[in-house]
Each structure stands twice: as structure tokens, then as C-alpha cells.
Amino acid sequence: MTREKPKNLWLSRWGFILAATGSAVGLGNIWKFPYITGEYGGGAFVLMYLACILAIGIPVMMTEIALGRRGRGSPIDAIARVVRENNSNPLWKSVGLMAMLAGFMILCFYVVVAGWAFAYTWKMASGALAAPSVDALAKVFETHNASPWQLGGWSVLVALLTLWIVGKGVQAGVEKAFRWMMPGLALMLIVLVGYAWTSGSFSQGFAFLFTFDASKITGEALLAALGHAFFTLSLASGAILTYGSYIPDGQSIARTTFIVAIADTCVALLAGLAIFPVIFANGMDPSAGPGLIFMSLPLAFQQMPFGTVFGVLFFAMVSVAALTSAISMIEALVAYLNEKHGISRVKAAAGSGALLLVISLLAMLSFNLGAEWKLFGFTLFDGLDYLTSRWMMPLGGICMVILAGYCLRSEIMRDELGLAPAGYALWLFMVRYVSPVLILMVFLHALGWLGFDPIAQWYWIAGAIGALALLGELLAPRVRHELALR
Ligand code: PFF
């Protein structure tokens, strides 16, 4: 079978790396990572998060990029083409559909948070954040959220900017913007870490992030760490797969994945190092929740020389980082409508944008008028976050590794990944045995299945990986053989 010819490719070898890092590095690193680390008690959570990135995030990302490049298209089409090449069941493409849906659902609440970053850039510049204490800053945050007009206005602005860029096509815009954006953000974070160093509580912040308290390792925290690993690397939500479909043949997927994952992890850790010392220095509670960075960092900026300038630059960088992530969430849907149904990118962006505006405005109301509108105890904002991070992304991830590890003929992935034999064997081991077992165990815990706790009953996990490895090695050659006969 002849392979699909690529229609769009990144302009340079760095194109994918920049865009995928742009997608991965965003509010997940600077806003979500610190606040959930705070909620789950620090170092133990960080350790579980790093383990999830290594054992699940990196293998899943390699798989997703390989599927995208092999199938050359939006998630649904790319997976459909790959399974056709393999003579497998076409229903696998529903994994692509779920990913695309997850990307869109994330965007619906992400624009609200990105709106905070945009609003704080403006507030920083206009002096509205010159409040004397964390409590006063908490008030500013509350007042901002209590006003549907303010919150909604900023969310709409972010949504429109995202749609405008996606309508124009990501390659040119994003690739160029990234060349200066990433180094700028890194620099700002280093300045902030430098300030945190002088805050008097650096060692306390450092210890909070990196000392490990075994009692804080719980099944619930592991579930959050897994969900966050997917979220922060933009996995199973269409973004990485679609961007992967624009990579030229011959570029190393493993190298690329490592660069993106390392950059993403460094940004999250730097953000933690910048934020927690400030929090402790000001007697703030690290488990203050989603407002954490908005209540703590403006105080740090007020106290440092040229603080306003740094503050404006910092929130501006965060806004751009959020925008480049937001773009990637809807790229899959726009690419799908464009490739499959021949709708122009502009019209596709406008059509999906109308729905985005409606849902995101409803999500925004979760902070004010609709704070009491709850389903199963979740507001729309929380529900979208919970459903995507805890369920849809891990489910999409497990389906993709099962497809790649068990169902596809080995030469497809071997060709696409282009790894040395040892590297390929390691990847295969991870996607066949380690990633699916870990994701499954975490799901079982979430379902409350037999009171299963993946931490206390770790030996089940080890046993299941071992048993699956044995069984898989015995069965896989037979399955492959049958496929080859077809
Ligand atoms: N990785 C992004 C962040 O950390 O902010 C969030 C994200 C982007 C999730 C793109 C999903 C996605 F498709």
C-alpha cells in the first residue's frame, strides 16, 4: 500500500520541536503543576509525576508521533490509515475521535485560565496588583472572578486569538513565534527563581518540592500525577498526533520526544522553584488551589527591583505560552474538518469557535453566577478538567499503546520510530507491559474496584507486568504471524 503523501510539513527540523514544546509548555506547567503539587503535599507528588512522565508519558508520546507521521493526517484519519495498512479493525479510529474531543473539551476551560494570565498582564502594568499582602491579592483574584463580564471578556479574547491563529495555519505563525518565546519564558522563570533564592525561604520551598514523604504517596495522588503527565505533555488530545503528522520522514522521533519532555519538565520544576519559596516566605498555604500563582507571584514582583517590568513580562510570557498550547488543542479538529470535509481552515475555525465560545462562557460562569450549577458535584469548569485529565486522556493513551504494542505489525512501528534494536526493545517493553498496566491499575483505583490501592498493593502491579510480559512474548509472535498471513 502506498503511504499518504504529507500535505503540510514543518518549515525546519526544529519546527515540530518548537511547536510541540509550545503545546506542552503552558498553563499546565506554570499554573496547574504548582497548585496540584501544593494540594497533594509536595515531593511525593513530584516523584510520582516524574515517574509517570518516564514510564508512560515518553512512550505514549513516541507512539502518538509515530502514528501521526505514519498516517499523515488528523487523529481520526491518521489512525484509520495506519489500521488500514495493517488490515485491522477500522473502529480503532474512534480513539482519534476521542482524542480530538478531549482536545476541544480542554480548550473550553483552558481559555478561562489563559484569560487570567492575560488579565494579570494588564493588571500588573496598570498597577492594579499593588496590593500589600497575599490576602489582599486573594481579594483581587476573587473580585476578578466574581465579575462575569471581566472573566468572560478575557476568555473571549483568548478564544478569538486562538481561532484567528489556527485559521491562518499553525506552521508559519507558531514556528516563528516560538523562536523567541521559549527562551524568553525560560529567562523570566530563571529571574523569578533568582528572586526566590533571596526570599529567605528558598530552602523550605526546595524541600517542599524535593523531599519525599512516603505517607503522601496515595492512590489518589498517583491518579492525579498520571492525569497531569498526560495533560502537561498534551497527550491523547489530538495535539501531538496532528503536529506529528507534519514531521518530515527521517527525523528521529525518540530524540524529538526527549527534547520536548525534558523542556516541559524543566519549566514545571522551575515554576515550582520560583513559586513555593515565595509562598512560604509570605506564610501562604501551598494548598490554596487554582489561584495559587495569581495570589503569590504579584507579591514577589512588588518586592524586587524593576518588579513591574518583570511582572508584565512574566505574565505576558505565560499568556503566549497558554496561547501556543490552546492553538494545539483545536488544531486536530480544524485539520480534520479541512482534510476530510474540504472546509477551509478559516471556516473550520469559525464553526468550531462558535461552539467553543458558548461552552467556555458557560465554564467561566462556574466562578460566579453558576457556582452552584453542579453535576455529580462538579461545576462545568471542574468537570471538564476532571473528565479529560482523569479519564479521556489516560483511556486514549492506553488504547494507543495497545494498538501500537499488540495490534500493528512490528515493522510499522519499527520503521517509523527508526530506533536501534535496544531502543526499540525498550520502547516495546514499555508500551506493551509497563504503560498499559500502570494506566489500568490507576483506573481500577479510580473506579474503587475492590478497594484497590495501586500504592499499598504495588505487588499486584509488578505481578501483572511480569505476567503480561510473559504472556505477550509467547503470544505476540503468533498474532503477528497470523496478521502477516492475511
Ligand atoms: N500541555 C498543555 C499545558 O501544560 O498547559 C495543555 C494541553 C495542550 C493539553 C494541548 C492538551 C493539549 F492537547
Side-chain angles (χ1 to χ4, degrees):
M1 188 180 140
T2 52
R3 283 184 53 199
E4 184 76 10
K5 290 255 173 333
K7 288 180 209 66
N8 300 306
L9 287 180
W10 297 109
L11 305 178
S12 68
R13 222 173 62 76
W14 282 93
F16 174 81
I17 296 179
L18 291 170
T21 310
S23 170
V25 172
L27 297 164
N29 308 61
I30 299 163
W31 160 74
K32 199 170 182 190
F33 173 74
Y35 104 73
I36 50 178
T37 300
E39 282 183 344
Y40 287 103
F45 178 82
V46 175
L47 192 73
M48 285 186 276
Y49 157 77
L50 293 176
C52 287
I53 295 275
L54 263 182
I56 303 170
I58 289 178
V60 171
M61 190 185 250
M62 287 172 65
T63 306
E64 236 191 290
I65 300 175
L67 287 173
R69 187 167 74 179
R70 188 74 176 187
R72 292 279 183 215
S74 65
I76 301 183
D77 289 330
I79 295 183
R81 282 190 197 113
V82 175
V83 293
R84 202 178 318 131
E85 178 185 357
N86 195 60
N87 290 331
S88 300
N89 193 324
L91 274 182
W92 278 108
K93 69 180 176 203
S94 46
V95 178
L97 176 67
M98 184 172 66
M100 217 166 70
L101 206 66
F104 185 77
M105 288 166 66
I106 294 170
L107 185 59
C108 291
F109 74 89
Y110 203 83
V111 293
V112 181
V113 186
W116 283 336
F118 275 75
Y120 268 60
T121 312
W122 169 250
K123 284 184 200 291
M124 197 80 221
S126 67
L129 297 178
S133 65
V134 169
D135 287 340
L137 282 167
K139 267 269 157 340
V140 175
F141 190 63
E142 267 168 36
T143 317
H144 180 75
N145 289 336
S147 156
W149 289 107
Q150 276 206 52
L151 202 56
W154 288 106
S155 310
V156 169
L157 176 75
V158 176
L160 293 179
L161 272 173
T162 307
L163 296 166
W164 180 61
I165 300 174
V166 174
K168 284 181 47 164
V170 288
Q171 274 97 349
V174 173
E175 231 181 300
K176 287 200 191 103
F178 260 89
R179 286 171 197 267
W180 56 267
M181 221 284 309
M182 275 296 143
L185 182 66
L187 193 73
M188 281 302 111
L189 281 170
I190 290 168
V191 167
L192 272 174
V193 174
Y195 168 77
W197 179 263
T198 65
S199 70
S201 297
F202 191 80
S203 54
Q204 205 183 344
F206 189 89
F208 181 74
L209 272 176
F210 298 113
T211 47
F212 165 80
D213 172 357
S215 73
K216 300 244 168 71
I217 299 199
T218 60
E220 179 54 28
L222 181 61
L223 199 66
L226 175 76
H228 189 61
F230 274 94
F231 184 85
T232 193
L233 292 179
S234 311
L235 299 178
S237 37
I240 293 296
L241 199 150
T242 312
Y243 279 2
S245 76
Y246 308 142
I247 302 185
D249 289 327
Q251 186 168 333
S252 160
I253 290 181
R255 226 182 113 243
T256 308
T257 301
F258 275 96
I259 296 177
V260 176
I262 290 171
D264 186 75
T265 307
C266 287
V267 172
L269 294 178
L270 278 178
L273 279 179
I275 288 161
F276 286 109
V278 175
I279 285 172
F280 291 117
N282 291 287
M284 200 179 158
D285 177 8
S287 62
L292 192 68
I293 69 162
F294 299 102
M295 301 175 199
S296 56
L297 290 182
L299 205 60
F301 288 123
Q302 279 176 54
Q303 291 161 0
M304 66 173 84
F306 307 109
T308 308
V309 179
F310 282 131
V312 172
L313 283 176
F314 174 78
F315 282 114
M317 294 288 173
V318 175
S319 306
V320 182
L323 206 58
T324 50
S325 298
I327 293 162
S328 72
M329 291 171 200
I330 199 169
E331 171 63 15
L333 183 57
V334 170
Y336 171 73
L337 293 172
N338 179 252
E339 286 166 17
K340 188 80 180 173
H341 299 289
I343 303 174
S344 74
R345 285 189 69 98
V346 174
K347 285 202 183 122
S352 36
L355 190 63
L356 167 69
L357 284 175
V358 174
I359 304 180
S360 60
L361 283 177
L362 288 173
M364 172 281 290
L365 292 180
S366 301
F367 290 95
N368 36 66
L369 301 179
E372 292 311 314
W373 304 343
K374 289 190 178 163
L375 198 66
F376 300 113
F378 288 106
T379 59
L380 181 60
F381 181 94
D382 291 339
L384 287 169
D385 183 7
Y386 178 80
L387 209 62
T388 48
S389 278
R390 298 293 185 93
W391 290 100
M392 294 172 81
M393 296 166 122
L395 195 62
I398 202 171
C399 291
M400 282 193 255
V401 290
I402 288 175
L403 173 65
Y406 290 96
C407 302
L408 296 182
R409 284 193 303 275
S410 52
E411 72 264 17
I412 294 186
M413 279 292 152
R414 200 188 299 244
D415 255 20
E416 217 46 60
L417 292 171
L419 290 166
Y424 177 74
L426 181 63
W427 169 82
L428 196 60
F429 185 79
M430 298 308 270
V431 296
R432 271 201 183 151
Y433 313 122
V434 180
S435 316
V437 170
L438 285 178
I439 300 176
L440 193 71
M441 297 289 168
V442 170
F443 272 149
L444 293 182
H445 171 76
L447 290 170
W449 190 66
L450 299 178
F452 177 75
D453 183 332
I455 297 298
Q457 284 147 290
W458 60 269
Y459 40 84
W460 276 108
I461 299 189
I465 294 178
L468 199 65
L470 213 73
L471 204 73
E473 289 311 310
L474 290 178
L475 288 183
R478 289 195 51 178
V479 175
R480 270 206 299 276
H481 179 66
E482 313 243 307
L483 280 171
L485 290 182
R486 275 206 240 152

